[in-house]
Amino acid sequence: MPNTSARPKHGRRTRRRRREDPARNELVSSSLESAQQCLFNQDYGTAFVHYLLVLNLAPMFKDFARESFRFTLFKWTEELDSVGRIQDLFDCYEQALELFPADEVILNSMGEHLFRMGFRDEAAGHFHKALKLRPDYPEARENFYRVANWLVERWHFLMLNDHGRNRKYQQAIQKAVQSGCSTVLDIGTGTGILGMCAKKAGAAEVYACELSKTMYELACEVVSANGMDGSIKILHMKSLEMEVPKDIPHRVSLVVTETVDAGLFGEGIIESLIHAWHHLLLPPRRGENEFQDQSATGRVIPAGATVFGMALESIEIRRHHRLCVSEVGGLSIAAAGELCSPVSCSPEPDDSMEPYTTERLSRVPGGYKALTEPFTALNIDFNNVQELEGLSSRKVQQIRLPVTQEGELDALAVWFQLHLDEESSLSTGPQEDTCWEQAIYPVHSTDGFVLKPRDELIVEVSCRDAFLRLCSVAVLRDGHEIGLDKRPDTQGSGNPVSNQNPEAELCSALASLQTGQKQTKDFCMLECAEMALLNNQDYHQSFCSALGKLIPQLRAKCQNKERGSGDSTDGSDLLYVLDVSEGFSLLSLIAAGHGHVKAYSSVEKKKQQEVVKRLARSNNVPEQHLEFWLNHTEDEHGMLKRPSREKLWSAIILDCVETCGLIRQKLMEKASLARCLLEDGGSIFPAKIVVHGMLVESDTLLLESAVQGQEPTLGFNIAPFINQFTVPVHVFLDFSTLECRHLSEFVELFVLDLMESTANYTNREVKVQATSAGRITAVPFWYHIYLDQEISVSTLSQNSHWKQAAVVLPQPVEVQAGDWVRLAVKLHKSAISISAHIENTPGPMEQ
Ligand code: 44T
């Protein structure tokens, strides 16, 4: 292997001597020749070293060799990547960037590697730089938009647009500073806003810390743009790592923070505050002594919180967390075993599980039904370190809740009031006019327990690993206790709940003791979207019908051919179907269920493969008719393979839309590859995707995409900095519940023909008539996925596992009813962009 880390020396001395040194010239030209020869022989590693040498010795060749150098770099790093030489890979990029520091293609490509390795912050930095160098570089733009959502989460925009919240925080901070808190630490400063409030209120010393590199850099920019760079010290670190006097010279009298998520504790506020009380804050105020000197004591804003909970029914939540159907696409799925979403408050600590998920209940499709009144789950005082420390060791608290409405118990929802000080608080409740999400603790019991008025629901509240845990354990009905939420470990709750059938329970407990196995051997986890997909009967039925049309056609053709050629039917008359869906999919099994089909599944996880195998057995699909092709790819390259040398695929199923509502990356490349592997008359599923959309006026979408308005935020200049992270396409949208005014009918925006098109760039102009007057702020879009000419699935349907996406226009466009709007729709690879203009000339259908 060539030694790529040997960097040729360069610098002024080299340059001065170059002209005088014929030996050097000789070396340059022979190296250049070698580089080209190696490139020709596909020996990219050696070619790369030669190029490095040439370009370091003779920078004047940079323009001439740029293209070949890039090509060599990309080829060589691809090889390094495939053999796991990651450090070498990044060394090569660094060497390349030393030579071409402003090469947007190299920067973008290095960003892609960084992103794949999980270094999102660094990746974003590279995409950002590439984009600054060439703003019209579509690859970098797309990449940047992908990471922007990770780096600067969308709630930053919501927070800064939430004037009520901003003002309340500002007032609370101002009051505290004016009453003597003169040294302040802002934990998790984000854009720096709370720290700047403290400074503006007159605090003598302000410190701020921020964990995320992107947010830290942003905070530095913002603080400096507001003329406070000398007066606020920002540290790029987690507060838990801060020490006095290393990071801040002494303890502070006020900590301000908004490191709270929908479940209150998810950002680690408990741990941060315990640490702050021990290491960063002055001692707390004792008793109710009003006159104690506030500059000698410590306190926290927010002062505390009250957490509320409520039981609810929601079909939307249910279908994402538990199996709700017993049959899909002609398959019985009764034998699937225990399937469960990764969101569970199981009693055993498990890294793969999240205790809660989040939803904005006011926007849950299909709505929800409250089954109990809200109850207080917890009260916590952030100024009492003993109380904070006691949280984790607090014993499990049982709460009895009268059921107020009949309904299926699907989840417990949680929200809170954040008490900034004695007078002022913020609420994240579902009914309030807030933009915040609520925490959702789904109930997993598969049989779906119906609660009735006069029942009492027993909920356990506890705190583990500084997370709040809520679990519905039982229902009291007519004096009997009925256990809920079956859990792997029945001793977990510390409260033996009487079972309806104790004998059966005893038997199975004995059985598991004897085999030494857990009762959970058939347990398998599915992502929420995978669960929703499995519950989507229309989706599976559509595939079943489309395959049911295609397979007999191809079989008939195949039999005719055999008859013609006199071949015997010795098993080679099987049709081959490949399902390249991402994640869990039963489509291959549905294909195999049609008989005379050998289906290849892309299910990768072992547990999930077991589920598919169990279902194959229970549905009488012969084992040899189902293969998991990813189990055999260690020594193979490439995604799609022929089933065997002489056979081609009868059908290839492509997964074309991501759950978030975007077209999958590289879909068109995969489709054109797939087309080459089809037998005559074979099909790609889907054959065609039609993108639909609509003009809307939605302030909500604007508030989530950028800091709005010309007014400075609390008097500070923040918007232009954070708005650099605005992305024009919103994802994970529920269009059915989005607050918006419809300004047009549904319109067809685009057609992607997977059986035909090859183009990477496609443009289309669409004319749409406005049906009412308003400001077009966005164009939500979704897909009609055509499996064949007649059968289609819509990603907008009620039981879809897909969300929708929307293009948010950079500037709203005013329309009158009847106006024609010209939409320029562009598809670059798989990214859609839309711009809207009022058409002055009448549209084609105008009277
Ligand atoms: N809160 C929204 C926003 N961080 C979530 O890197 C939630 C507001 C909200 N930095 C009510 C309810 C809600 N040391 O940039 C992030 C994060 C940083 C830290 C240094 C630490 N120990 C931490 C912990 C977090 O802080 C920033 C904000 S945390 C997320 C806030 C529905 N009102």
Side-chain angles (χ1 to χ4, degrees):
M1 283 291 175
N3 178 7
T4 52
S5 55
R7 300 183 196 193
K9 295 260 183 303
H10 61 104
R12 211 184 292 151
R13 253 181 62 222
T14 338
R15 235 171 279 141
R16 209 186 319 123
R17 275 210 271 139
R18 199 187 316 124
R19 216 182 289 156
E20 304 144 22
D21 192 344
R24 191 168 292 259
N25 290 347
E26 184 64 26
L27 181 62
V28 166
S29 70
S30 75
S31 266
L32 188 57
E33 213 169 284
S34 306
Q36 286 160 341
Q37 191 55 48
C38 291
L39 193 55
F40 184 76
N41 297 334
Q42 301 185 352
D43 176 1
Y44 301 115
T46 320
F48 184 69
V49 179
H50 281 299
Y51 272 125
L52 279 184
L53 189 70
V54 172
L55 298 177
N56 276 297
L57 291 179
M60 76 266 214
F61 285 126
K62 276 188 188 175
D63 282 343
F64 162 76
R66 185 189 289 259
E67 280 297 329
S68 328
F69 176 73
R70 275 184 190 156
F71 180 79
T72 313
L73 169 73
F74 298 154
K75 284 292 189 186
W76 176 227
T77 49
E78 227 171 70
E79 269 181 44
L80 290 173
D81 194 8
S82 69
V83 295
R85 289 174 58 189
I86 305 305
Q87 188 54 50
D88 290 340
L89 180 153
F90 287 122
D91 282 348
C92 289
Y93 270 102
E94 268 163 30
Q95 290 165 329
L97 284 172
E98 267 179 38
L99 283 169
F100 296 100
D103 188 301
E104 73 282 2
V105 183
I106 297 178
L107 278 164
N108 179 60
S109 174
M110 176 154 176
E112 287 175 350
H113 280 290
L114 285 164
F115 187 72
R116 252 180 278 147
M117 301 289 145
F119 302 110
R120 299 212 167 91
D121 248 353
E122 288 82 354
H126 284 71
F127 299 144
H128 202 203
K129 258 194 210 160
L131 206 52
K132 276 198 168 154
L133 287 162
R134 205 175 111 200
D136 64 341
Y137 182 25
E139 272 79 6
R141 183 160 292 275
E142 248 164 70
N143 283 330
F144 179 69
Y145 289 159
R146 263 173 208 276
V147 290
N149 280 322
W150 285 96
L151 292 176
V152 177
E153 292 178 62
R154 301 302 96 182
W155 48 255
H156 279 290
F157 298 111
L158 274 178
M159 259 163 65
L160 294 167
N161 282 319
D162 184 345
H163 302 290
R165 166 245 176 214
N166 294 345
R167 251 193 315 274
K168 282 183 180 171
Y169 254 103
Q170 184 180 39
Q171 281 162 2
I173 292 171
Q174 199 170 10
K175 242 172 52 188
V177 171
Q178 282 166 0
S179 66
C181 294
S182 58
T183 51
V184 183
L185 169 65
D186 176 359
I187 296 183
T189 193
T191 52
I193 187 169
L194 301 185
M196 293 195 294
C197 283
K199 192 73 223 170
K200 197 170 172 185
E205 290 168 40
V206 179
Y207 307 95
C209 64
E210 174 53 59
L211 185 64
S212 135
K213 184 157 174 264
T214 312
M215 290 313 298
Y216 160 77
E217 284 168 0
L218 194 68
C220 293
E221 270 189 88
V222 171
V223 164
S224 142
N226 286 278
M228 295 189 190
D229 40 350
S231 44
I232 300 180
K233 184 179 173 195
I234 311 176
L235 300 147
H236 175 209
M237 63 195 325
K238 195 168 183 170
S239 65
L240 297 172
E241 275 139 34
M242 284 175 66
E243 287 171 32
V244 171
K246 187 167 99 352
D247 303 300
I248 54 174
H250 38 245
R251 288 174 178 252
V252 295
S253 49
L254 178 66
V255 158
V256 294
T257 189
E258 201 184 10
T259 48
V260 292
D261 70 337
L264 185 63
F265 298 154
E267 289 283 344
I269 192 168
I270 300 297
E271 220 188 343
S272 311
L273 291 181
I274 292 174
H275 171 267
W277 277 115
H278 285 303
H279 303 282
L280 310 171
L281 267 164
L282 287 164
R285 201 158 93 171
R286 302 227 170 270
E288 287 304 299
N289 185 354
E290 297 262 334
F291 305 103
Q292 210 170 342
D293 178 7
Q294 296 236 357
S295 63
T297 60
R299 58 177 280 205
V300 178
I301 292 179
T306 306
V307 182
F308 301 95
M310 181 172 79
L312 53 87
E313 177 187 89
S314 156
I315 295 171
E316 180 72 4
I317 294 173
R318 185 187 313 160
R319 71 191 187 90
H320 280 86
H321 296 281
R322 53 179 214 249
L323 190 63
C324 308
V325 294
S326 54
E327 180 275 325
V328 290
L331 296 173
S332 156
I333 50 171
E338 197 183 331
L339 304 181
C340 176
S341 82
V343 188
S344 167
C345 247
S346 74
E348 294 162 57
D350 181 348
D351 281 349
S352 56
M353 291 286 194
E354 297 284 338
Y356 55 84
T357 177
T358 65
E359 287 289 349
R360 211 170 265 120
L361 282 175
S362 59
R363 282 197 220 163
V364 166
Y368 67 95
K369 193 203 277 183
L371 305 181
T372 65
E373 292 290 326
F375 60 93
T376 303
L378 184 81
N379 248 309
I380 179 83
D381 179 355
F382 293 147
N383 282 310
N384 184 338
V385 69
Q386 287 78 27
E387 201 177 306
L388 293 170
E389 285 172 329
L391 261 185
S392 289
S393 52
R394 237 169 62 136
K395 72 175 196 337
V396 180
Q397 184 197 358
Q398 275 207 352
I399 299 178
R400 273 189 186 197
L401 301 168
V403 172
T404 50
Q405 273 202 85
E406 177 167 329
E408 206 163 313
L409 177 62
D410 291 317
L412 294 168
V414 160
W415 64 92
F416 56 89
Q417 250 185 337
L418 206 54
H419 308 299
L420 298 186
D421 54 23
E422 301 80 23
E423 286 161 26
S424 148
S425 63
L426 300 171
S427 168
T428 65
Q431 267 124 14
E432 319 273 335
D433 186 23
T434 68
C435 42
W436 302 117
E437 296 183 319
Q438 289 76 45
I440 303 293
Y441 295 74
V443 171
H444 285 283
S445 57
T446 41
D447 26 6
F449 193 86
V450 177
L451 293 178
K452 300 217 163 75
R454 292 201 312 276
D455 283 350
E456 277 185 300
L457 179 65
I458 302 180
V459 171
E460 283 183 357
V461 180
S462 58
C463 227
R464 225 206 7 241
D465 312 327
F467 270 116
L468 188 65
R469 285 173 187 260
L470 265 83
C471 189
S472 321
V473 287
V475 174
L476 278 180
R477 177 174 292 169
D478 306 327
H480 298 285
E481 205 173 84
I482 308 164
L484 290 175
D485 232 356
K486 284 190 244 115
R487 283 174 288 174
D489 168 10
T490 44
Q491 311 107 50
S493 69
N495 169 43
V497 174
S498 67
N499 192 290
Q500 280 165 309
N501 187 351
E503 259 172 63
E505 199 182 359
L506 190 63
C507 284
S508 70
L510 277 176
S512 71
L513 268 182
Q514 272 169 358
T515 57
Q517 273 180 335
K518 284 192 117 204
Q519 286 160 305
T520 55
K521 70 176 184 347
D522 288 350
F523 173 84
C524 175
M525 204 151 73
L526 295 184
E527 292 301 324
C528 302
E530 291 174 328
M531 187 71 88
L533 175 63
L534 185 55
N535 282 321
N536 186 346
Q537 287 178 311
D538 294 343
Y539 174 88
H540 291 94
Q541 193 49 51
S542 301
F543 272 95
C544 187
S545 311
L547 283 161
K549 276 162 70 185
L550 178 75
I551 290 169
Q553 280 170 20
L554 292 176
R555 272 191 56 70
K557 210 154 105 193
C558 172
Q559 278 160 356
N560 283 343
K561 221 189 288 167
E562 272 162 17
R563 233 173 274 135
S565 69
D567 266 1
S568 65
T569 43
D570 58 353
S572 62
D573 61 338
L574 284 176
L575 297 178
Y576 287 83
V577 174
L578 172 66
D579 174 16
V580 284
S581 299
E582 308 260 329
F584 187 75
S585 165
L586 288 185
L587 298 180
S588 55
L589 195 52
I590 289 175
H594 280 81
H596 296 280
V597 168
K598 174 145 186 177
Y600 288 69
S601 162
S602 301
V603 171
E604 202 172 359
K605 295 184 181 143
K606 284 283 166 292
K607 279 271 181 188
Q608 296 188 351
Q609 290 185 354
E610 280 166 25
V611 173
V612 180
K613 282 188 210 159
R614 268 202 295 279
L615 292 178
R617 271 195 298 278
S618 71
N619 284 280
N620 302 318
V621 171
E623 203 166 312
Q624 68 275 18
H625 283 187
L626 188 69
E627 192 123 1
F628 296 97
W629 68 277
L630 287 172
N631 291 354
H632 313 289
T633 52
E634 272 85 47
D635 48 357
E636 292 173 14
H637 294 290
M639 267 290 291
L640 306 171
K641 283 260 153 198
R642 284 182 168 78
S644 70
R645 207 154 292 162
E646 62 286 358
K647 269 282 195 181
L648 288 164
W649 297 103
S650 304
I652 297 179
I653 301 169
L654 295 174
D655 202 350
C656 48
V657 179
E658 288 182 41
T659 315
C660 69
L662 296 179
I663 295 176
R664 271 198 198 281
Q665 280 187 304
K666 302 203 188 278
L667 174 69
M668 296 319 278
E669 283 102 313
K670 280 187 198 162
S672 55
L673 187 56
R675 282 202 300 272
C676 306
L677 301 173
L678 285 183
E679 69 169 291
D680 185 26
S683 272
I684 307 181
F685 290 129
K688 183 174 81 168
I689 302 171
V690 181
V691 187
H692 286 252
M694 176 187 244
L695 309 180
V696 303
E697 173 171 340
S698 163
D699 288 336
T700 313
L701 279 180
L702 289 184
L703 295 176
E704 284 173 21
S705 65
V707 177
Q708 298 294 309
Q710 304 302 314
E711 286 293 299
T713 318
L714 293 179
F716 302 117
N717 179 18
I718 301 179
F721 302 96
I722 185 117
N723 285 354
Q724 290 183 66
F725 289 88
T726 294
V727 299
V729 179
H730 263 243
V731 289
F732 284 113
L733 209 78
D734 286 309
F735 183 47
S736 67
T737 53
L738 176 74
E739 273 183 31
C740 68
R741 285 186 51 225
H742 295 187
L743 300 180
S744 78
E745 305 283 346
F746 290 177
V747 54
E748 185 184 300
L749 294 175
F750 219 92
V751 181
L752 276 169
D753 192 341
L754 277 80
M755 290 296 277
E756 294 285 335
S757 91
T758 46
N760 260 342
Y761 291 85
T762 1
N763 297 335
R764 187 176 172 196
E765 285 220 334
V766 181
K767 285 185 185 149
V768 200
Q769 194 167 29
T771 47
S772 42
R775 288 157 59 240
I776 311 168
T777 59
V779 184
F781 58 90
W782 57 93
Y783 312 93
H784 287 200
I785 302 173
Y786 282 86
L787 304 185
D788 58 25
Q789 295 284 330
E790 295 101 30
I791 302 174
S792 73
V793 185
S794 165
T795 66
L796 189 61
S797 83
Q798 207 186 351
N799 49 9
S800 137
H801 68 293
W802 287 291
K803 300 280 182 186
Q804 290 78 49
V807 169
V808 178
L809 302 179
Q811 292 298 326
V813 176
E814 294 277 349
V815 280
Q816 298 303 320
D819 277 355
W820 282 93
V821 180
R822 182 166 44 88
L823 296 179
V825 188
K826 274 191 202 155
L827 192 78
H828 173 242
K829 293 191 175 167
S830 57
I832 286 189
S833 62
I834 301 176
S835 60
H837 306 276
I838 299 283
E839 185 85 339
N840 292 322
T841 53
M845 273 117 67
E846 201 170 36
Q847 301 295 310

